[in-house]
Amino acid sequence: MKKTAHFIIFSVFALTAYGQRIEQSLDFGWRFHLGSMDGAEATTIDDTQWSEVNLPHDFQTAMPWVEPSADERPDNSDAAANIRSRLSSRAFREMSQGWYRLHLTPADSLRGKRLLIDFGGIMYTGDVYINGTRVGGTNYGYVGFEIDATEQLRFGQDNVIAVMADTREPNNSRWYTGGGLFRGVKLIATNRNLYFARHPLYITTRDNRFVTISTEIVSHGRDRDIPVLIKISDKTGHCVYEGRHIVNRSTPTRIIEQQLPEIEIPDPQIWDIDNPNLYTVSAILYNEQGEAVDCTTDRFGIRTIEIGPDFGLRLNGKKVLLQGYANHHTLGALGAAAYPRAIEKRLRLMKEWGINHVRTSHNPYSREFIELCDSLGLLVVDELYDKWTRQHTGGRVPFEALWQYDVPEWVKRDRNSPSVAIWSLGNELQQDPNQPHNDWGVTMYRLMRPLVARYDSTRLVTVAMHPRYRNWQTDSLPCDLAMITDIQAYNYRYMYFPGDGRRFPWMTFYQSEASIAAMGQNFFEMNLDRVIGLAYWGAIDYLGESQGWPAKGWAQGVFDIALDPKPKAWYMRSFFKPNEPMVHIAVIDRRGDQMWNGVQTGNDGMSDHWNRVAGQRLSLVTYTNADEVELLLNGRSLGTKQNPVSDARHRNQIRWDSIEYQQGKIEAIARTGGSIVARHRIETTGQPSRIAAQADNSQWQADGYDLQHIRITALDSRRRLVQTTDASVTFTVDGPADIVGVINGDINSNEMMVGNSRKLYNGACTVILRSRQQPGHVTLTATAPGMKAAKIEMETR
């Protein structure tokens, strides 16, 4: 029996006051079939045996790992014989096609409306059908789009929206993309004759006080003087401005764009990374008879960004050094499914560790990601593409057929966000000679750059470059593209900033990717007063781009794929938060020597526990931003060493070799100016005796989207974390919530990331619950052999 969704109508404004634009989530009650299927778009298909899914959804997270065959290289590099593992870049999961179907009957109250279906994206390419007829789709699934379904949706009867999502060749992405309806879908109903266009507001500020709003309106009638009511509210909801303006239609064009008079904001609350104050613009559109016919809202921040060669970047007149990371868009066990709560969790974590910047490599992230950066206070380099070729942009059509549609959608979607500091159009074009026009991207940049400025003239535009030469082999000068971009963004090659800056003093430098293997050195060796900053590549481990089976992805981050900090995260914290005294002990377990894109990426394998083999000789590092560190083993001093602050390569790292392991405790005491400023101690634990569970969301919403990440740990009889156990934990859930992911930090594990069990790694794992749409009491029970079970009680509200 088919399930039919009836629209539950709600408006972006109160229905009694305006009641014209209606938005309805279409994220619940989809049917899903994995694999290709002839005729899956037809209304006659019986989908009652398909699985039921809710959005966001990444169908690849439930697919099994595929071990490389004997004739494939197990890693993601090109061998001398040009053999590579087919799926190493894609997390060793098979590429596939997936079909989604939603049954719905439109409410009669929507008759006479213009009906749109809005897609946040379809991964990686996709087609949309209504009642068996193709009505649209996407050739580059990271960019959203909408479909006018006014003529296709039938009232009083069942309609079928069918979506085909495809990740197969020639969709030859270099990383794990995920697959399916990985972002939200919604129905939008507006007036048919007069309405706001898609992303209709363009909000700019001047002198941190004045606001200018431009509107884009579509009229199919003869309206000449079109009233628009503008209301601006601060973060508390207090109205700071309200005024009616007239948009004059001076030509018979259907699309009307007009800049409204400048508005002065009284006592403006400035947006910055420490106080990300936001304002909300509400715009109501009227016809000439005075009837409200449409409405829209958007948020913005009042802030000023300056970029120049002498100071890098200034925010509101103050130098800000970008201390960032660059990762792909996926979210660990959730894959590409863009859950706002999962995004918020990692952004809050990054900010806690001193990060103030994200580069969205190498594609637009979800709108919710950008909005969270707005509200949390992170600066974004917003990136549109990887390389400008068919292979790297979906594979269905040539790149030359994409960009003129993608650029406006991307810019208009994000241009009002104060977090967006810089636009980036691409990445590492120098590694692929097959760029359009055969000039390594110069002509293509000159075509796209003006289109960006057409929709936003307030931000500079760059392309991340690697290597930065004109010619890999012989040329020491910057590539031609670096000579024309607004900002000189080099991946890894920060050592060329001084020389290029002397030759070309107008250049402004940004280390768009920095190697974690060279962490610290690639920070301290820059002139921090003059550069924009850096983004550490792969700071969080992620699926795809494996450097060798059984690793399912990138494993060189300072946070593991479950978001637990590795010891080296404390090193990053030591200089990203220099005013917070710290010290942390790391035990070197193995050397890490790996190359990637001609860059050393391997990190030493480290741990921070004290359960070792008696008599074992160990090498340790103490990470600190203090002057000196004393190391004590069971209370006996092993000496005091100075922080080598004058040595960029070793600054904030103090090495201790040939430490003989003894059961007990080892402690680092950090001093500055002779006074103790920080301590860190690790000690030998007993056997694990109990499981503990800790939830992260005290305001768990019963909206069908919200997540609860519950961290599971194994503790000994003194409630200390036992990192050396790898026991398997089984989960049961009672109440209105479902398990959507299980994960630990071991990227080499062959366990699935869905299900009801997971082994511990470093003594921990995480189970992720998704709320249902009904509030209620939720109980999670976690059991492991030989340990006391954990039970945690929660409420969805």
Side-chain angles (χ1 to χ4, degrees), residues 8-20:
I8 302 170
I9 302 171
F10 63 91
S11 172
V12 292
F13 293 106
L15 282 168
T16 54
Y18 308 109
Q20 298 302 318

Side-chain angles (χ1 to χ4, degrees), residues 286-301:
Y286 295 84
N287 61 21
E288 288 185 323
Q289 290 72 47
E291 300 168 323
V293 295
D294 200 5
C295 50
T296 190
T297 65
D298 206 353
R299 297 191 307 176
F300 72 99

Side-chain angles (χ1 to χ4, degrees), residues 218-232:
V218 180
S219 174
H220 296 280
R222 296 183 178 182
D223 303 77
R224 296 186 61 86
D225 296 323
I226 304 171
V228 177
L229 178 67
I230 298 293
K231 180 179 178 180
I232 302 177

Side-chain angles (χ1 to χ4, degrees), residues 494 518-528 534 536 571 574-576 645 647-653:
Y494 71 93
M519 178 175 274
Q521 181 180 7
N522 52 21
F523 179 85
F524 293 118
E525 286 186 345
M526 295 192 299
N527 185 336
L528 301 180
L534 53 63
Y536 277 111
Y571 178 42
S574 75
F575 56 87
F576 273 10
V645 293
D647 180 351
R649 186 173 182 180
H650 298 103
R651 181 174 177 174
N652 289 12
Q653 306 175 79

